[in-house]
Amino acid sequence: LLSCRLYCEEAKDPKRRSCQTVLAEALDIVIRSFAPILPHLAEEVFQYIPYKKDSEGVFRTGWINASSAWKKPGIEEAIEGACAMRDSFLGSISGKNALEYEVIIVIEPGLLFELMEALQAEETSSASQLNEIMMASQTTLLSELPKETPSDANIIKGTFLINLEGGDICEQSSYKVIARPIAKAKCPRCRRYTAESSSTPCPRCLQVLAAGKGST
């Protein structure tokens, strides 16, 4: 997830920048958390942070002060739900390379489906947050099984309990996960199986490369 965003997206792409922001915030919180116990290590790490403007030191810049903007209703449940589906997917392929597969997630219309839509607005995507969590090359989000699903398809069924607003909103939702070997070639740049040929980057990478040339 991190490597794809950091190394495959355009330098100024919001996905890449948001990833850097999260890493920076996490590092700041970790440093301040262990500073009272390991003061010298915390101070040394703090002084080597390249983007820090002040040089007063970790002990003169206050305690942890996480912004309330990080707390968004439904996001935690959406991520936990997606991780539960990812576990079902990975368990169904028995240790094989997840990137060699595409995932179909089927959820009946309801709260869980809406939470997954927040992670993937398109029906099928290879670059959505949901697909990044699933660790596959492509993820499709549907409200019903595709008509062309083979009768012998390996359909993994599961449930997820949604708990929002301190328990005021509770909903037990079921889902189905289908893993299928993907038919596309391995992209030589992002290493996902989303290219038409193994010698040509995938459409997403071609777009990033073209944008990079245009900005130089």
Side-chain angles (χ1 to χ4, degrees):
L1 174 57
L2 293 181
S3 61
C4 185
R5 286 195 176 195
L6 290 174
Y7 302 118
C8 296
E9 299 291 355
E10 187 182 354
K12 296 182 180 180
D13 188 280
K15 289 183 179 180
R16 183 175 186 274
R17 298 294 290 142
S18 65
C19 182
Q20 290 178 312
T21 299
V22 171
L23 290 174
E25 185 75 9
L27 177 61
D28 185 81
I29 291 175
V30 169
I31 292 172
R32 296 181 192 279
S33 296
F34 68 69
I37 305 171
L38 299 169
H40 299 293
L41 176 60
E43 185 62 34
E44 183 177 3
V45 174
F46 189 82
Q47 293 300 330
Y48 274 94
I49 296 178
Y51 48 82
K52 284 291 183 184
K53 300 296 184 182
D54 55 72
S55 58
E56 294 184 356
V58 66
F59 292 99
R60 294 180 177 272
T61 52
W63 184 236
I64 297 171
N65 185 26
S67 171
S68 59
W70 292 99
K71 186 64 176 178
K72 294 185 178 180
I75 292 297
E76 182 178 352
E77 288 73 17
I79 299 298
E80 289 179 352
C83 287
M85 297 173 199
R86 179 192 61 196
D87 291 343
S88 298
F89 160 56
L90 295 178
S92 70
I93 61 175
S94 304
K96 296 178 181 177
N97 184 1
L99 289 174
E100 296 179 359
Y101 290 83
E102 62 173 324
V103 182
I104 299 175
I105 299 174
V106 182
I107 309 171
E108 293 184 359
L111 186 54
L112 182 59
F113 187 87
E114 293 175 3
L115 290 175
M116 292 305 105
E117 279 190 315
L119 300 177
Q120 178 169 302
E122 310 90 343
E123 183 177 282
T124 299
S125 176
S126 61
S128 68
Q129 295 181 70
L130 179 58
N131 187 67
E132 290 177 340
I133 294 171
M134 297 304 292
M135 300 168 60
S137 279
Q138 180 175 285
T139 297
T140 299
L141 179 62
L142 302 173
S143 59
E144 59 183 12
L145 281 172
K147 295 180 179 179
E148 66 274 11
T149 303
S151 58
D152 60 346
N154 184 19
I155 302 176
I156 309 300
K157 298 180 180 180
T159 60
F160 181 74
L161 177 62
I162 300 171
N163 192 334
L164 293 172
E165 304 293 338
D168 291 339
I169 301 176
C170 289
E171 183 175 301
Q172 182 87 12
S173 301
S174 60
Y175 61 84
K176 299 181 182 72
V177 174
I178 305 172
R180 300 192 306 198
I182 197 161
K184 295 185 178 180
K186 187 177 183 179
C187 173
R189 182 174 181 271
C190 70
R191 319 304 288 176
R192 288 183 175 176
Y193 290 77
T194 51
E196 298 301 324
S197 167
S198 59
S199 60
T200 306
C202 66
R204 192 273 299 267
C205 286
L206 286 173
Q207 183 177 358
V208 172
L209 293 170
K213 290 179 180 179
S215 60
T216 58

